[in-house]
Amino acid sequence: MKNPKKIISQFLKWTGISILTILFLMYIVPILFPGTISQQVKVFANNHLAGKLDYKKTHLSFFKHFPSLTVSVDDFILKGSKPYQEDTLLAAKEVAVGINLKNLIFNQEVKIDEIYVNDAYANIFVNSKGEANYNVYISKPNQNKKNNSEEGASVKLDLIKLKNWDIKYIDHSARVLIDAKGLNYIGKGGLSNDIFDLETNLDIDKLDFGLNRIFYAKQKTLHADLITRINTNALTFVLRKNELRINELPLKFTGFLSILKDGYNIDIKAASEKTTIRDMISVLPPQYLDWAKDTKIEGNSDLFFSLKGRFSELKNLKPRFKARLLVKNGFVSNQNAPVPMENLNMDLNLDLPSLDTEQLYLNLRHLGFDLGKNNNFRAKVTTKGMKEMLINSNIKGALDFSTLDQALGIKDIEMKGLLNTNLIANGIFSLDKKLFPKTKGYIKIENGWLKTKYYPNPIKNINVTANVNNTDGTFKSLGLKLKPFQFDFEGNPVYVDADLNDFEDLLYKIRAKGVLNVGRIYKVFAKKGFDVSGLIMADLSLNGRQSYATKGQYSKLDNRGNLILKNIKATTEYLPKSFFIKEGNFQFENEKMWFRKFFATYGKSDFALNGYLLNTINYFIERKGTLHGKFVLNSNYTLIDEFMALKNGDNDEKSIQVEYAKVENPKSSGVVIVPKNLDVSLEVNAKKVEFKGLELNHLKGLASVNSGQIFLKNTNFDVVGSRMNIDARYQDESPITANYDIALKVKDFDVQRAYKEIDMVREMVTAAKNVKGIVSLDYKLKGDFDKNMRPIYPSLEGGGMVNLRDVEVNNLKMLSVIGDNLGAKAFDNPDMKGVNIESHIKNNLIHVDKFTFKVSILRPSISGTTSFNGLLDLQVRVGLPPAGWIGFPIVVTGTHEKPKIKIFSKTGQGIKEALYNRKINKVIREEKRAAKKSRPQQREVKEIQKKQAENAEKQISKDLKE
């Protein structure tokens, strides 16, 4: 028998040698194969990534992610896919891939089976058109085995490990926002197999989730422990083990998801059973969680929801969503409360077939709680549908706000007063059909008192008595009495008394009186958007019926009184800045709301209005329809640029369309958006109007705003030293697109001054730089504005006349080349005084009718086509003395800068017009040289193009007249 010591010694010896050999190999392999690995990983990246990739250092080691041999790069940056090639999609401190050692040593092949990404930021974005920045992976078609020897790395993942990630996902098309900070993820499984189980462990420190700008989760912690069976052949995901925890609320999922050709099939059930009310409250927004820490909360809760069915946009199929929330035996009490809130019970059910809100069924079977003796609240409410909503509700309660405030221990609000309500409603609510549920009940608040931490003084003496009654389920029998609604704030009482009946043709009697410091009362609720010194003073008496105004029975109306606004700042969702109303004195006289004194500023612009609005009572009652009015508008200075929707400003309450357009076009100004609910005529007198650096002085004329369009009629102003007259129409299509029609006449303006001061002249008439003198213009155009409110030239259509009254044309290259070839230097300075040039514009081409001028004893005439990009296809006839009856032809092609001529030729080379899609405001194809055609063919094409342009000009005239 061998010596045990010797055996142990040999074992340790060989073990040590083995360990040293392994360590040596782990050290030497990265040295032996660096070229192979770096080269093949680079080939893989180039072949499979469309986004621009950059990094600083590369490493090859066994020890960074032991025991895997890993290739890692530092300061990794990956740019997005089109159209976001300049935006960062992923930035990481380290990105590493694990290499299969067996394949590397024996086959000289790089097989990637692990991925590690540390300290990363991912910015995932989908715009409102559905264009995404993450499509950077270029998938390859299946290849035969013959091609498997192609050099490069391959991916067969078993492990994905992400550490300390921040991910922001914004999808404008779905209006979804997800912001996850401190994300750690481990995914294990044969990720490259056809069928495999993916084991997932996910932790997120802070998670925000928003839909349609409403946040349903804010700064939530999330932990997920999941096992998902994935079938890549059928694209099916089966949830086998799925445990989720949001803050303290546990959720369990079961079901499956199958991806189909035209959508998906889903059957998911989730539940959080036998949890506590405190666990449920943990998912509330963060501002409520501090309150929960200091409040005794007891009771049980259960949450269930499911999503089942097929989704197919083509077949108009959507799944069904169901949810139920149960709260039992709830108890809430602050330590200073005289009595607790107890017997808190709720059973809320939600059913949304086909995710269609018009089929929404909400059933609040029960909601109730007690606050000691004689203080309790009970409610039962069911609704079905939205536009036509079936309602059955019974709400009854008597509460002391002071007791409720103390029981809940709400820190930021102090409340006092008594609430008493008893309201029963049963029937259908429909604005379109003028139906209202049979209703009987009241809401009464006595001696109310409200104070918040945001302002030192309370709103006091709040008294409200509101009675609602409906006997037959129609608008006609609906009655609402508000007798009274009153409160005191800062020593100023406010009083409103209203009696409203017959909502089919509203019979109203309203009395309102008081002084309200708007800025301070908004401070009570910590709201922004109004100036701190703003005041509203009202003394109004409104009596009448809606139909009296619409039928012209003004003598039956008795609307009178005054409404005064001072130093009020207000915003609208379509403008980037706030209006500051310095003074607004509104006087009500039956059907009219007069603007007796109205002075306002908007940025650098100022306005004074005097006139009236009609239909104001109807508009403010129904919140729809159109406001009609007539005003005189005076302004010392108006800057159009600051009205463009995407300009920077102080308004934080923009529409979602404007917000998304701003994000997607950060360097664009947008266009001016016109209100859709106005029908107002304006007599305008503006001393100075500025638009993109162009000054219009002493503007006078008639303007109107109607159905989202602005019209100018017989409007005059001084521009570049001349008086211009225009008729015009303007309409926005979105925050970044608009269209317009314009008919303009300007007499005797200086060509050189116009060329220097007006961008459009420089871009449209490049030859004007060679012209000096006085010109008159009579032209009609229609077209589109781009996202910077600049004309899109291929969209222009129209035509008109240019009169060269007294001009000098010097060294125009097109004419100089002709003169050089004829030996006639006079072509460098031709006599064009009194010449009329008629032209038509269509699809980025300018078609010039024949015009004749003088060059010494010669009589040249020119006609043909040129483009905004400088292409030429002109026919010149040089008439010889006497009187030019005999002449010879010349064709001019090439460009304005490099013209080409052919003497004694009538055959030029046409220009193929640009194609512009007016629906999507996009140039489909730029103009280009056409294939060579015979003279008759060219003449036929030009006649067709000219006819199209003339028809467009006639249409502009028709539109402006209408």
Side-chain angles (χ1 to χ4, degrees):
M1 187 173 181
K2 292 184 178 182
N3 189 337
K5 290 184 178 180
K6 189 175 181 180
I7 295 173
I8 294 172
S9 174
Q10 288 181 344
F11 173 77
L12 292 175
K13 175 183 175 181
W14 288 108
T15 301
I17 291 172
S18 300
I19 292 173
L20 288 173
T21 302
I22 292 170
L23 291 174
F24 175 73
L25 288 172
M26 294 176 72
Y27 173 78
I28 198 67
V29 166
I31 297 174
L32 294 175
F33 295 97
T36 300
I37 294 172
S38 298
Q39 179 63 30
Q40 292 193 23
V41 169
K42 186 176 290 186
V43 169
F44 174 81
N46 290 335
N47 288 339
H48 293 83
L49 294 178
K52 184 180 177 182
L53 178 66
D54 195 14
Y55 52 83
K56 285 189 177 178
K57 293 182 180 180
T58 60
H59 307 277
L60 189 59
S61 172
F62 275 103
F63 301 103
K64 274 206 166 187
H65 299 281
F66 184 82
S68 298
L69 172 62
T70 56
V71 180
S72 59
V73 297
D74 296 342
D75 299 330
F76 175 96
I77 294 178
L78 178 62
K79 300 290 187 178
S81 56
K82 292 181 180 180
Y84 304 103
Q85 305 96 315
E86 301 304 317
D87 297 334
T88 298
L89 172 63
L90 175 65
K93 187 176 181 180
E94 181 200 27
V95 174
V97 293
I99 306 297
N100 186 298
L101 191 59
K102 177 183 174 183
N103 288 81
L104 178 64
I105 294 174
F106 296 105
N107 302 325
Q108 294 283 300
E109 292 178 349
V110 176
K111 299 292 185 183
I112 298 171
D113 53 14
E114 297 177 355
I115 290 181
Y116 305 86
V117 186
N118 296 336
D119 301 316
Y121 170 71
N123 179 37
I124 303 168
F125 180 71
V126 182
N127 67 16
S128 52
K129 298 177 183 177
E131 298 171 329
N133 70 339
Y134 55 77
N135 295 317
V136 295
Y137 183 78
I138 303 172
S139 60
K140 298 291 183 181
N142 291 330
Q143 297 178 338
N144 297 326
K145 292 182 180 180
K146 293 180 181 180
N147 298 325
N148 288 343
S149 62
E150 180 184 337
E151 184 182 13
S154 62
V155 177
K156 190 174 183 181
L157 292 177
D158 292 315
L159 173 67
I160 299 175
K161 192 171 184 179
L162 312 178
K163 183 179 179 182
N164 192 27
W165 275 52
D166 289 348
I167 298 177
K168 180 169 282 189
Y169 173 81
I170 300 174
D171 188 337
H172 285 175
S173 61
R175 298 187 176 180
V176 170
L177 183 147
I178 299 173
D179 192 356
K181 291 181 170 62
L183 179 146
N184 293 279
Y185 171 88
I186 299 175
K188 297 179 181 179
L191 279 70
S192 300
N193 296 331
D194 292 340
I195 301 175
F196 63 92
D197 285 343
L198 175 64
E199 298 180 26
T200 298
N201 189 280
L202 173 67
D203 285 288
I204 300 176
D205 293 340
K206 292 181 180 179
L207 176 67
D208 296 348
F209 172 75
L211 181 63
N212 280 327
R213 293 197 295 184
I214 299 173
F215 277 93
Y216 294 92
K218 194 77 172 172
Q219 296 186 14
K220 304 301 172 197
T221 62
L222 184 144
H223 172 76
D225 189 6
L226 316 173
I227 298 178
T228 307
R229 172 66 56 86
I230 300 177
N231 185 331
T232 59
N233 293 322
L235 285 179
T236 300
F237 304 83
V238 180
L239 308 178
R240 303 186 68 190
K241 176 188 175 185
N242 294 277
E243 297 177 358
L244 193 69
R245 182 176 292 275
I246 305 174
N247 280 13
E248 301 301 322
L249 181 69
L251 284 172
K252 291 187 178 181
F253 292 82
T254 59
F256 70 88
L257 170 67
S258 295
I259 308 298
L260 309 174
K261 288 183 178 180
D262 61 346
Y264 58 82
N265 189 22
I266 190 170
D267 187 355
I268 300 290
K269 295 182 177 66
S272 179
E273 298 181 83
K274 299 180 181 178
T275 57
T276 66
I277 297 176
R278 182 175 288 277
D279 292 339
M280 190 70 66
I281 289 174
S282 74
V283 300
L284 292 176
Q287 58 265 35
Y288 298 105
L289 299 183
D290 288 339
W291 159 77
K293 290 179 183 176
D294 301 328
T295 305
K296 186 177 180 180
I297 303 172
E298 298 176 353
N300 300 316
S301 68
D302 295 289
L303 174 65
F304 307 91
F305 65 85
S306 66
L307 186 63
K308 183 177 181 179
R310 281 192 59 183
F311 175 87
S312 171
E313 197 73 48
L314 294 174
K315 297 178 181 178
N316 196 27
L317 297 174
K318 292 182 181 179
R320 182 175 197 154
F321 177 78
K322 286 186 175 183
R324 186 181 187 189
L325 174 62
L326 290 169
V327 175
K328 300 176 184 177
N329 303 318
F331 179 94
V332 181
S333 180
N334 185 267
Q335 58 185 357
N336 299 319
V339 294
M341 175 187 285
E342 52 189 354
N343 299 322
L344 173 61
N345 292 280
M346 181 173 64
D347 186 356
L348 175 64
N349 295 264
L350 187 72
D351 188 4
L352 190 59
S354 299
L355 297 181
D356 181 8
T357 55
E358 292 305 316
Q359 301 182 59
L360 173 64
Y361 175 68
L362 184 148
N363 184 2
L364 180 62
R365 293 179 178 175
H366 177 71
L367 171 63
F369 60 85
D370 296 327
L371 279 170
K373 190 176 181 181
N374 299 324
N375 272 269
N376 52 67
F377 183 86
R378 302 287 185 270
K380 293 182 180 180
V381 179
T382 61
T383 68
K384 187 175 183 179
M386 290 295 287
K387 286 185 179 179
E388 190 170 313
M389 181 183 292
L390 178 63
I391 299 173
N392 190 339
S393 67
N394 189 336
I395 302 171
K396 188 174 183 179
L399 295 174
D400 185 326
F401 284 130
S402 178
T403 304
L404 178 64
D405 186 23
Q406 293 178 62
L408 296 179
I410 300 174
K411 298 178 181 179
D412 298 339
I413 300 176
E414 295 181 43
M415 298 183 294
K416 297 178 183 177
L418 299 174
L419 167 70
N420 199 304
T421 182
N422 191 346
L423 193 62
I424 298 173
N426 189 359
I428 296 174
F429 174 75
S430 171
L431 286 173
D432 295 336
K433 295 183 178 180
K434 295 188 179 297
L435 299 176
F436 195 90
K438 293 181 181 179
T439 306
K440 186 174 184 181
Y442 64 88
I443 299 173
K444 188 174 184 180
I445 298 175
E446 294 179 296
N447 301 318
W449 191 92
L450 178 65
K451 183 178 180 296
T452 71
K453 71 173 185 178
Y454 306 107
Y455 195 75
N457 299 325
I459 302 173
K460 301 187 293 187
N461 300 322
I462 304 170
N463 287 279
V464 181
T465 301
N467 289 277
V468 185
N469 189 56
N470 186 292
T471 57
D472 64 4
T474 67
F475 267 33
K476 188 169 185 63
S477 69
L478 176 60
L480 172 64
K481 287 183 171 61
L482 202 63
K483 290 184 174 290
F485 168 53
Q486 61 186 39
F487 62 88
D488 291 347
F489 182 65
E490 296 282 5
N492 295 313
V494 175
Y495 177 91
V496 179
D497 188 312
D499 191 353
L500 309 175
N501 291 284
D502 186 4
F503 278 66
E504 279 191 8
D505 181 13
L506 186 66
L507 180 65
Y508 57 88
K509 187 175 184 181
I510 302 170
R511 181 84 172 91
K513 188 172 184 179
V515 177
L516 189 62
N517 190 318
V518 178
R520 292 181 184 177
I521 202 164
Y522 266 74
K523 275 189 173 182
V524 171
F525 301 99
K527 293 289 182 182
K528 298 178 181 179
F530 287 81
D531 191 79
V532 293
S533 62
L535 290 176
I536 296 178
M537 293 169 278
D539 188 357
L540 294 173
S541 177
L542 308 174
N543 296 276
R545 251 189 207 280
Q546 282 182 274
S547 61
Y548 293 166
T550 56
K551 293 179 179 179
Q553 298 173 323
Y554 303 131
S555 61
K556 295 184 178 181
L557 292 170
D558 185 17
N559 298 326
R560 47 194 163 83
N562 292 284
L563 179 67
I564 298 173
L565 308 181
K566 287 191 175 181
N567 300 326
I568 293 291
K569 188 189 290 184
T571 59
T572 173
E573 62 179 357
Y574 295 115
L575 290 176
K577 297 185 178 184
S578 302
F579 275 100
F580 188 78
I581 303 173
K582 294 182 176 179
E583 182 177 0
N585 192 334
F586 307 99
Q587 184 175 353
F588 287 81
E589 288 184 358
N590 293 333
E591 78 279 12
K592 294 178 181 178
M593 176 181 175
W594 285 93
F595 287 55
R596 295 300 187 190
K597 285 184 180 180
F598 186 89
F599 303 105
T601 60
Y602 176 86
K604 297 178 182 178
S605 306
D606 63 84
F607 309 95
L609 279 174
N610 197 318
Y612 63 84
L613 284 175
L614 295 171
N615 196 38
T616 52
I617 303 297
N618 291 0
Y619 178 79
F620 289 114
I621 289 173
E622 294 190 354
R623 300 302 301 164
K624 63 179 183 179
T626 301
L627 281 171
H628 304 270
K630 188 175 183 179
F631 293 93
V632 175
L633 169 64
N634 291 290
S635 173
N636 292 309
Y637 178 68
T638 302
L639 179 59
I640 302 296
D641 302 39
E642 60 188 1
F643 287 84
M644 297 176 191
L646 306 190
K647 285 280 190 177
N648 293 326
D650 61 345
N651 183 10
D652 295 326
E653 302 298 326
K654 303 183 186 72
S655 74
I656 194 167
Q657 291 85 0
V658 171
E659 281 191 0
Y660 284 177
K662 179 66 176 175
V663 172
E664 295 172 15
N665 305 274
K667 297 181 180 180
S668 301
S669 65
V671 300
V672 177
I673 297 178
V674 184
K676 305 296 185 289
N677 58 347
L678 289 181
D679 178 12
V680 176
S681 63
L682 300 161
E683 184 180 326
V684 182
N685 186 353
K687 290 183 179 179
K688 183 178 178 180
V689 178
E690 189 172 341
F691 174 59
K692 288 190 170 294
L694 180 64
E695 292 185 5
L696 313 178
N697 297 301
H698 308 296
L699 187 148
K700 292 185 178 181
L702 299 177
S704 62
V705 181
N706 189 358
S707 301
Q709 298 183 82
I710 297 176
F711 297 87
L712 298 178
K713 187 72 175 176
N714 196 26
T715 301
N716 299 277
F717 51 82
D718 293 333
V719 60
V720 293
S722 302
R723 196 70 179 165
M724 181 179 285
N725 179 278
I726 68 169
D727 292 340
R729 179 199 62 82
Y730 170 87
Q731 180 180 29
D732 63 275
E733 299 168 357
S734 75
I736 56 171
T737 54
N739 62 73
Y740 59 92
D741 299 332
I742 183 169
L744 58 91
K745 293 180 181 179
V746 57
K747 189 174 182 181
D748 298 341
F749 71 90
D750 188 311
V751 177
Q752 276 301 298
R753 185 174 174 183
Y755 182 82
K756 292 175 182 177
E757 297 183 21
I758 304 176
D759 291 342
M760 196 170 180
V761 172
R762 286 197 300 275
E763 293 167 356
M764 287 184 63
V765 193
T766 55
K769 69 180 179 181
N770 302 107
V771 178
K772 294 181 181 179
I774 305 301
V775 171
S776 296
L777 187 69
D778 186 351
Y779 226 85
K780 296 174 183 176
L781 286 172
K782 74 174 181 178
D784 293 336
F785 282 123
D786 67 10
K787 58 187 177 183
N788 288 303
M789 207 162 173
R790 294 176 61 85
I792 302 174
Y793 290 106
S795 74
L796 292 178
E797 297 180 14
M801 184 75 71
V802 179
N803 173 256
L804 311 181
R805 198 196 80 181
D806 185 9
V807 300
E808 295 179 11
V809 179
N810 295 312
N811 299 316
L812 183 61
K813 288 186 178 181
M814 181 193 76
L815 296 179
S816 296
V817 170
I818 295 175
D820 291 343
N821 281 267
L822 297 180
K825 289 294 183 182
F827 271 93
D828 291 340
N829 187 15
D831 181 4
M832 290 192 173
K833 293 180 181 178
V835 172
N836 289 324
I837 303 175
E838 186 172 355
S839 60
H840 304 277
I841 295 173
K842 177 81 172 180
N843 290 330
N844 222 40
L845 300 185
I846 306 167
H847 307 287
V848 182
D849 289 359
K850 184 177 179 180
F851 66 94
T852 303
F853 55 99
K854 296 179 181 179
V855 175
S856 184
I857 60 173
L858 303 176
R859 295 293 183 271
S861 61
I862 296 176
S863 63
T865 302
T866 181
S867 82
F868 286 121
N869 288 327
L871 298 179
L872 299 175
D873 182 34
L874 299 174
Q875 289 75 48
V876 181
R877 181 184 180 278
V878 180
L880 302 173
W885 295 334
I886 301 173
F888 59 89
I890 299 175
V891 169
V892 183
T893 57
T895 66
H896 283 293
E897 294 300 317
K898 294 183 178 180
K900 301 175 183 178
I901 71 165
K902 288 193 295 183
I903 303 176
F904 300 108
S905 175
K906 294 183 178 181
T907 304
Q909 188 174 6
I911 305 171
K912 196 172 183 179
E913 62 184 15
L915 289 182
Y916 178 77
N917 189 320
R918 199 167 295 278
K919 290 183 179 179
I920 61 175
N921 301 86
K922 189 174 181 180
V923 180
I924 306 300
R925 183 192 70 204
E926 294 188 353
E927 76 275 17
K928 60 182 180 179
R929 283 290 176 196
K932 290 188 176 181
K933 297 180 180 180
S934 66
R935 186 66 183 171
Q937 287 175 323
Q938 289 190 50
R939 190 182 300 114
E940 182 181 353
V941 170
K942 288 175 182 177
E943 286 298 321
I944 292 172
Q945 293 174 342
K946 180 181 176 182
K947 192 66 178 177
Q948 288 176 337
E950 289 175 343
N951 290 338
E953 184 182 348
K954 292 177 183 178
Q955 187 63 42
I956 295 168
S957 299
K958 182 180 178 181
D959 291 344
L960 288 169
K961 287 179 181 178
E962 289 177 351

